[in-house]
Amino acid sequence: MKLVKFVPAPSIGAISAFLVSICAGVARAEVLHVGPFRPNERVLFYGDSITHGGKYVCYLQLFENLRHPGSGVRLLNGGRSGGTPWTGLVNFDRELKASRPDRAFVMFGMNDIGVANRTKALEDYRTNMSNLVSRFTAAGVKP
């Protein structure tokens, strides 16, 4: 019989504390005002499987179409299963070329918390998210 070491899953409190610390770190970097969509704006939601599978991009598009018919706003789902800020950086050029967004919402985080070294994971998360925002900005995309 093979023995398997049981490693307990992190508690909801530990996960919540980790996510709050991530949000605090990212929010501390820069606070951006998010204004209304502009006519014919292309908006990319760039993130993980929650973004990919989340119906909210469709709901937002429906709301925009009903509230502002003829505005030409296009909401684009750039979510990828298993995505992290690092994979977002790896896929950045391809995604940018395919979607050609005017604005982007960077929405990673859930695949970054289940690691043994949470301190390193948080540092990597902050660095990679900051690099993503810088790359969008350098490409002329409003993050």
Side-chain angles (χ1 to χ4, degrees):
M1 172 186 244
K2 184 177 180 180
L3 295 176
V4 177
K5 182 178 178 184
F6 174 74
V7 179
S11 70
I12 243 352
I15 291 172
S16 298
F18 182 73
L19 291 175
V20 167
S21 68
I22 286 173
C23 293
V26 171
R28 181 180 47 172
E30 185 175 359
V31 176
L32 301 174
H33 172 72
V34 178
F37 298 130
R38 297 180 306 271
N40 299 311
E41 187 173 30
R42 294 174 63 85
V43 182
L44 175 65
F45 291 82
Y46 195 44
D48 53 29
S49 59
I50 295 171
T51 306
H52 180 252
K55 296 189 185 302
Y56 58 85
V57 176
C58 296
Y59 295 148
L60 285 172
Q61 183 71 67
L62 179 61
F63 176 82
E64 182 65 25
N65 293 349
L66 293 171
R67 182 83 168 156
H68 305 284
S71 72
V73 170
R74 293 274 321 261
L75 304 182
L76 310 165
N77 190 330
R80 299 290 177 265
S81 181
T84 65
W86 182 82
T87 62
L89 286 166
V90 169
N91 297 319
F92 182 84
D93 292 330
R94 184 183 65 216
E95 188 64 47
L96 192 68
K97 183 178 180 181
S99 60
R100 302 178 330 275
D102 300 302
R103 188 187 319 193
F105 290 88
V106 183
M107 306 167 68
F108 293 102
M110 292 308 292
N111 295 315
D112 300 278
I113 63 171
V115 296
N117 187 344
R118 289 199 172 98
T119 302
K120 173 91 169 85
L122 182 56
E123 290 170 12
D124 291 347
Y125 178 85
R126 286 179 177 153
T127 298
N128 292 333
M129 287 293 280
S130 179
N131 289 339
L132 272 172
V133 170
S134 295
R135 290 195 61 190
F136 274 115
T137 303
V141 177
K142 182 179 180 181

PDB file of all heavy atoms in Angstrom, residues 3-27:
ATOM      1  N   LEU A   3       1.572   5.065   0.735  1.00  0.00           N
ATOM      2  CA  LEU A   3       1.083   6.132   1.593  1.00  0.00           C
ATOM      3  C   LEU A   3       1.204   7.462   0.874  1.00  0.00           C
ATOM      4  O   LEU A   3       2.211   7.744   0.224  1.00  0.00           O
ATOM      5  CB  LEU A   3       1.870   6.181   2.896  1.00  0.00           C
ATOM      6  CG  LEU A   3       1.730   4.960   3.795  1.00  0.00           C
ATOM      7  CD1 LEU A   3       2.627   5.105   5.006  1.00  0.00           C
ATOM      8  CD2 LEU A   3       0.288   4.791   4.219  1.00  0.00           C
ATOM      9  N   VAL A   4       0.185   8.244   0.982  1.00  0.00           N
ATOM     10  CA  VAL A   4       0.174   9.563   0.368  1.00  0.00           C
ATOM     11  C   VAL A   4       0.085  10.597   1.475  1.00  0.00           C
ATOM     12  O   VAL A   4      -0.792  10.507   2.337  1.00  0.00           O
ATOM     13  CB  VAL A   4      -1.029   9.720  -0.593  1.00  0.00           C
ATOM     14  CG1 VAL A   4      -1.062  11.110  -1.173  1.00  0.00           C
ATOM     15  CG2 VAL A   4      -0.976   8.668  -1.684  1.00  0.00           C
ATOM     16  N   LYS A   5       0.991  11.540   1.460  1.00  0.00           N
ATOM     17  CA  LYS A   5       0.982  12.581   2.477  1.00  0.00           C
ATOM     18  C   LYS A   5      -0.196  13.522   2.216  1.00  0.00           C
ATOM     19  O   LYS A   5      -0.389  14.005   1.110  1.00  0.00           O
ATOM     20  CB  LYS A   5       2.290  13.365   2.439  1.00  0.00           C
ATOM     21  CG  LYS A   5       2.364  14.432   3.496  1.00  0.00           C
ATOM     22  CD  LYS A   5       3.703  15.158   3.461  1.00  0.00           C
ATOM     23  CE  LYS A   5       3.703  16.242   4.510  1.00  0.00           C
ATOM     24  NZ  LYS A   5       4.917  17.032   4.462  1.00  0.00           N
ATOM     25  N   PHE A   6      -0.981  13.737   3.233  1.00  0.00           N
ATOM     26  CA  PHE A   6      -2.117  14.642   3.127  1.00  0.00           C
ATOM     27  C   PHE A   6      -1.661  16.069   3.396  1.00  0.00           C
ATOM     28  O   PHE A   6      -1.064  16.361   4.412  1.00  0.00           O
ATOM     29  CB  PHE A   6      -3.209  14.243   4.132  1.00  0.00           C
ATOM     30  CG  PHE A   6      -4.356  15.216   4.179  1.00  0.00           C
ATOM     31  CD1 PHE A   6      -5.275  15.257   3.146  1.00  0.00           C
ATOM     32  CD2 PHE A   6      -4.499  16.094   5.235  1.00  0.00           C
ATOM     33  CE1 PHE A   6      -6.322  16.160   3.178  1.00  0.00           C
ATOM     34  CE2 PHE A   6      -5.540  16.995   5.274  1.00  0.00           C
ATOM     35  CZ  PHE A   6      -6.470  17.026   4.237  1.00  0.00           C
ATOM     36  N   VAL A   7      -1.916  16.936   2.443  1.00  0.00           N
ATOM     37  CA  VAL A   7      -1.607  18.355   2.616  1.00  0.00           C
ATOM     38  C   VAL A   7      -2.939  19.084   2.631  1.00  0.00           C
ATOM     39  O   VAL A   7      -3.653  19.100   1.628  1.00  0.00           O
ATOM     40  CB  VAL A   7      -0.731  18.887   1.458  1.00  0.00           C
ATOM     41  CG1 VAL A   7      -0.452  20.358   1.635  1.00  0.00           C
ATOM     42  CG2 VAL A   7       0.543  18.087   1.362  1.00  0.00           C
ATOM     43  N   PRO A   8      -3.299  19.667   3.769  1.00  0.00           N
ATOM     44  CA  PRO A   8      -4.605  20.318   3.844  1.00  0.00           C
ATOM     45  C   PRO A   8      -4.679  21.525   2.916  1.00  0.00           C
ATOM     46  O   PRO A   8      -3.690  22.211   2.684  1.00  0.00           O
ATOM     47  CB  PRO A   8      -4.719  20.744   5.310  1.00  0.00           C
ATOM     48  CG  PRO A   8      -3.319  20.772   5.821  1.00  0.00           C
ATOM     49  CD  PRO A   8      -2.536  19.783   5.002  1.00  0.00           C
ATOM     50  N   ALA A   9      -5.846  21.721   2.372  1.00  0.00           N
ATOM     51  CA  ALA A   9      -6.073  22.891   1.509  1.00  0.00           C
ATOM     52  C   ALA A   9      -6.035  24.141   2.373  1.00  0.00           C
ATOM     53  O   ALA A   9      -6.351  24.105   3.558  1.00  0.00           O
ATOM     54  CB  ALA A   9      -7.425  22.762   0.828  1.00  0.00           C
ATOM     55  N   PRO A  10      -5.619  25.261   1.789  1.00  0.00           N
ATOM     56  CA  PRO A  10      -5.609  26.491   2.572  1.00  0.00           C
ATOM     57  C   PRO A  10      -7.029  26.859   2.989  1.00  0.00           C
ATOM     58  O   PRO A  10      -7.982  26.592   2.271  1.00  0.00           O
ATOM     59  CB  PRO A  10      -5.037  27.531   1.608  1.00  0.00           C
ATOM     60  CG  PRO A  10      -5.015  26.912   0.265  1.00  0.00           C
ATOM     61  CD  PRO A  10      -5.161  25.441   0.429  1.00  0.00           C
ATOM     62  N   SER A  11      -7.143  27.458   4.145  1.00  0.00           N
ATOM     63  CA  SER A  11      -8.462  27.851   4.635  1.00  0.00           C
ATOM     64  C   SER A  11      -8.985  29.029   3.825  1.00  0.00           C
ATOM     65  O   SER A  11      -8.234  29.740   3.165  1.00  0.00           O
ATOM     66  CB  SER A  11      -8.382  28.244   6.105  1.00  0.00           C
ATOM     67  OG  SER A  11      -7.669  29.471   6.236  1.00  0.00           O
ATOM     68  N   ILE A  12     -10.279  29.212   3.907  1.00  0.00           N
ATOM     69  CA  ILE A  12     -10.901  30.352   3.218  1.00  0.00           C
ATOM     70  C   ILE A  12     -10.311  31.648   3.756  1.00  0.00           C
ATOM     71  O   ILE A  12     -10.093  32.600   3.008  1.00  0.00           O
ATOM     72  CB  ILE A  12     -12.436  30.286   3.416  1.00  0.00           C
ATOM     73  CG1 ILE A  12     -13.265  30.114   2.162  1.00  0.00           C
ATOM     74  CG2 ILE A  12     -12.998  31.471   4.065  1.00  0.00           C
ATOM     75  CD1 ILE A  12     -12.879  30.154   0.848  1.00  0.00           C
ATOM     76  N   GLY A  13     -10.013  31.686   5.044  1.00  0.00           N
ATOM     77  CA  GLY A  13      -9.409  32.884   5.637  1.00  0.00           C
ATOM     78  C   GLY A  13      -8.029  33.172   5.060  1.00  0.00           C
ATOM     79  O   GLY A  13      -7.692  34.315   4.760  1.00  0.00           O
ATOM     80  N   ALA A  14      -7.229  32.119   4.870  1.00  0.00           N
ATOM     81  CA  ALA A  14      -5.885  32.297   4.297  1.00  0.00           C
ATOM     82  C   ALA A  14      -5.975  32.761   2.857  1.00  0.00           C
ATOM     83  O   ALA A  14      -5.234  33.651   2.424  1.00  0.00           O
ATOM     84  CB  ALA A  14      -5.104  30.991   4.384  1.00  0.00           C
ATOM     85  N   ILE A  15      -6.900  32.170   2.106  1.00  0.00           N
ATOM     86  CA  ILE A  15      -7.079  32.596   0.716  1.00  0.00           C
ATOM     87  C   ILE A  15      -7.553  34.036   0.668  1.00  0.00           C
ATOM     88  O   ILE A  15      -7.052  34.842  -0.116  1.00  0.00           O
ATOM     89  CB  ILE A  15      -8.066  31.658  -0.010  1.00  0.00           C
ATOM     90  CG1 ILE A  15      -7.427  30.279  -0.179  1.00  0.00           C
ATOM     91  CG2 ILE A  15      -8.477  32.228  -1.361  1.00  0.00           C
ATOM     92  CD1 ILE A  15      -8.367  29.212  -0.697  1.00  0.00           C
ATOM     93  N   SER A  16      -8.505  34.398   1.514  1.00  0.00           N
ATOM     94  CA  SER A  16      -9.013  35.771   1.543  1.00  0.00           C
ATOM     95  C   SER A  16      -7.915  36.762   1.899  1.00  0.00           C
ATOM     96  O   SER A  16      -7.781  37.813   1.270  1.00  0.00           O
ATOM     97  CB  SER A  16     -10.158  35.905   2.550  1.00  0.00           C
ATOM     98  OG  SER A  16     -11.221  35.090   2.169  1.00  0.00           O
ATOM     99  N   ALA A  17      -7.107  36.416   2.898  1.00  0.00           N
ATOM    100  CA  ALA A  17      -6.007  37.298   3.298  1.00  0.00           C
ATOM    101  C   ALA A  17      -5.015  37.471   2.156  1.00  0.00           C
ATOM    102  O   ALA A  17      -4.519  38.571   1.902  1.00  0.00           O
ATOM    103  CB  ALA A  17      -5.304  36.745   4.533  1.00  0.00           C
ATOM    104  N   PHE A  18      -4.727  36.379   1.445  1.00  0.00           N
ATOM    105  CA  PHE A  18      -3.806  36.450   0.315  1.00  0.00           C
ATOM    106  C   PHE A  18      -4.369  37.361  -0.780  1.00  0.00           C
ATOM    107  O   PHE A  18      -3.667  38.224  -1.312  1.00  0.00           O
ATOM    108  CB  PHE A  18      -3.545  35.045  -0.231  1.00  0.00           C
ATOM    109  CG  PHE A  18      -2.563  35.014  -1.365  1.00  0.00           C
ATOM    110  CD1 PHE A  18      -1.215  35.213  -1.143  1.00  0.00           C
ATOM    111  CD2 PHE A  18      -2.993  34.779  -2.660  1.00  0.00           C
ATOM    112  CE1 PHE A  18      -0.305  35.179  -2.179  1.00  0.00           C
ATOM    113  CE2 PHE A  18      -2.092  34.750  -3.700  1.00  0.00           C
ATOM    114  CZ  PHE A  18      -0.745  34.953  -3.461  1.00  0.00           C
ATOM    115  N   LEU A  19      -5.654  37.180  -1.122  1.00  0.00           N
ATOM    116  CA  LEU A  19      -6.260  38.006  -2.170  1.00  0.00           C
ATOM    117  C   LEU A  19      -6.321  39.477  -1.774  1.00  0.00           C
ATOM    118  O   LEU A  19      -6.078  40.357  -2.597  1.00  0.00           O
ATOM    119  CB  LEU A  19      -7.659  37.485  -2.514  1.00  0.00           C
ATOM    120  CG  LEU A  19      -7.679  36.129  -3.212  1.00  0.00           C
ATOM    121  CD1 LEU A  19      -9.109  35.647  -3.385  1.00  0.00           C
ATOM    122  CD2 LEU A  19      -6.971  36.186  -4.551  1.00  0.00           C
ATOM    123  N   VAL A  20      -6.615  39.746  -0.512  1.00  0.00           N
ATOM    124  CA  VAL A  20      -6.641  41.134  -0.039  1.00  0.00           C
ATOM    125  C   VAL A  20      -5.248  41.742  -0.143  1.00  0.00           C
ATOM    126  O   VAL A  20      -5.085  42.887  -0.573  1.00  0.00           O
ATOM    127  CB  VAL A  20      -7.192  41.223   1.402  1.00  0.00           C
ATOM    128  CG1 VAL A  20      -6.921  42.584   2.015  1.00  0.00           C
ATOM    129  CG2 VAL A  20      -8.681  40.929   1.403  1.00  0.00           C
ATOM    130  N   SER A  21      -4.223  40.972   0.213  1.00  0.00           N
ATOM    131  CA  SER A  21      -2.865  41.510   0.120  1.00  0.00           C
ATOM    132  C   SER A  21      -2.477  41.763  -1.323  1.00  0.00           C
ATOM    133  O   SER A  21      -1.790  42.734  -1.637  1.00  0.00           O
ATOM    134  CB  SER A  21      -1.857  40.570   0.795  1.00  0.00           C
ATOM    135  OG  SER A  21      -1.722  39.368   0.072  1.00  0.00           O
ATOM    136  N   ILE A  22      -2.932  40.915  -2.245  1.00  0.00           N
ATOM    137  CA  ILE A  22      -2.669  41.139  -3.671  1.00  0.00           C
ATOM    138  C   ILE A  22      -3.363  42.422  -4.116  1.00  0.00           C
ATOM    139  O   ILE A  22      -2.759  43.281  -4.752  1.00  0.00           O
ATOM    140  CB  ILE A  22      -3.155  39.942  -4.517  1.00  0.00           C
ATOM    141  CG1 ILE A  22      -2.220  38.768  -4.337  1.00  0.00           C
ATOM    142  CG2 ILE A  22      -3.244  40.325  -5.994  1.00  0.00           C
ATOM    143  CD1 ILE A  22      -2.706  37.502  -5.000  1.00  0.00           C
ATOM    144  N   CYS A  23      -4.643  42.549  -3.776  1.00  0.00           N
ATOM    145  CA  CYS A  23      -5.392  43.746  -4.177  1.00  0.00           C
ATOM    146  C   CYS A  23      -4.758  45.001  -3.600  1.00  0.00           C
ATOM    147  O   CYS A  23      -4.637  46.010  -4.287  1.00  0.00           O
ATOM    148  CB  CYS A  23      -6.848  43.643  -3.733  1.00  0.00           C
ATOM    149  SG  CYS A  23      -7.742  42.349  -4.614  1.00  0.00           S
ATOM    150  N   ALA A  24      -4.341  44.939  -2.363  1.00  0.00           N
ATOM    151  CA  ALA A  24      -3.721  46.103  -1.732  1.00  0.00           C
ATOM    152  C   ALA A  24      -2.421  46.462  -2.443  1.00  0.00           C
ATOM    153  O   ALA A  24      -2.135  47.628  -2.681  1.00  0.00           O
ATOM    154  CB  ALA A  24      -3.451  45.821  -0.258  1.00  0.00           C
ATOM    155  N   GLY A  25      -1.649  45.448  -2.816  1.00  0.00           N
ATOM    156  CA  GLY A  25      -0.378  45.704  -3.501  1.00  0.00           C
ATOM    157  C   GLY A  25      -0.583  46.286  -4.875  1.00  0.00           C
ATOM    158  O   GLY A  25       0.105  47.215  -5.287  1.00  0.00           O
ATOM    159  N   VAL A  26      -1.550  45.767  -5.625  1.00  0.00           N
ATOM    160  CA  VAL A  26      -1.808  46.279  -6.964  1.00  0.00           C
ATOM    161  C   VAL A  26      -2.440  47.657  -6.874  1.00  0.00           C
ATOM    162  O   VAL A  26      -2.075  48.571  -7.611  1.00  0.00           O
ATOM    163  CB  VAL A  26      -2.701  45.299  -7.761  1.00  0.00           C
ATOM    164  CG1 VAL A  26      -3.147  45.910  -9.063  1.00  0.00           C
ATOM    165  CG2 VAL A  26      -1.947  44.002  -8.008  1.00  0.00           C
ATOM    166  N   ALA A  27      -3.376  47.837  -5.950  1.00  0.00           N
ATOM    167  CA  ALA A  27      -4.038  49.130  -5.811  1.00  0.00           C
ATOM    168  C   ALA A  27      -3.048  50.204  -5.379  1.00  0.00           C
ATOM    169  O   ALA A  27      -3.168  51.356  -5.770  1.00  0.00           O
ATOM    170  CB  ALA A  27      -5.180  49.028  -4.806  1.00  0.00           C
TER     171      ALA A  27
END
